[in-house]
């Protein structure tokens, strides 16, 4: 799960304190889906900028199948760039700063961006 350590769900529900299966359940209970836009790809190094030969998930099909989908939030610039490919997506989109430790943006700044997701819950 790639999200800030403070839960976007409620301040008293820190995601990182829960086991992975519980974190996924917490997101599901809040009506949040977690999905990787990349189906397959290779990396020359560990960061997303080095991702090559990627194939994407069927984004348009997925969004059409989710009647209540309000927002697609991208965890970092690479995901946003891939989503910017020619998809006909009628819902709002949001670029969030990468939650990766490689993103040296201060945690408080990252958290401020991620907390904008609460408006969609």
């Amino acid at each position: 799960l790639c999200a800030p350590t403070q839960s976007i769900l409620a301040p008293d529900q820190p995601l990182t304190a829960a086991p992975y299966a519980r974190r996924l359940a917490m997101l599901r209970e809040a009506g949040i889906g977690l999905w990787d836009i990349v189906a397959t790809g290779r990396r020359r190094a560990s960061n997303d900028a080095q991702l090559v030969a990627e194939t994407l998930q069927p984004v348009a099909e997925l969004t059409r199948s989710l009647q209540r989908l309000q927002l697609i939030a991208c965890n970092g610039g690479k995901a946003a760039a891939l989503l910017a490919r020619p998809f006909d997506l009628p819902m709002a989109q949001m670029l969030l700063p990468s939650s990766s430790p490689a993103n040296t943006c201060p945690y408080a700044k990252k958290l401020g961006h991620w907390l904008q997701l609460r408006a969609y819950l």
Side-chain angles (χ1 to χ4, degrees), residues 12-57:
D12 61 338
Q13 295 180 8
L15 287 174
T16 56
Y20 183 74
R22 178 64 190 134
R23 287 184 276 173
L24 293 178
M26 291 167 71
L27 291 174
R28 209 172 20 254
E29 290 162 10
I32 298 171
L34 182 64
W35 195 60
D36 196 331
I37 191 169
V38 176
T40 63
R42 289 190 334 265
R43 294 178 193 231
R44 295 183 184 138
S46 64
N47 65 17
D48 285 347
Q50 298 296 317
L51 185 63
V52 294
E54 69 271 348
T55 58
L56 303 182
Q57 299 282 6

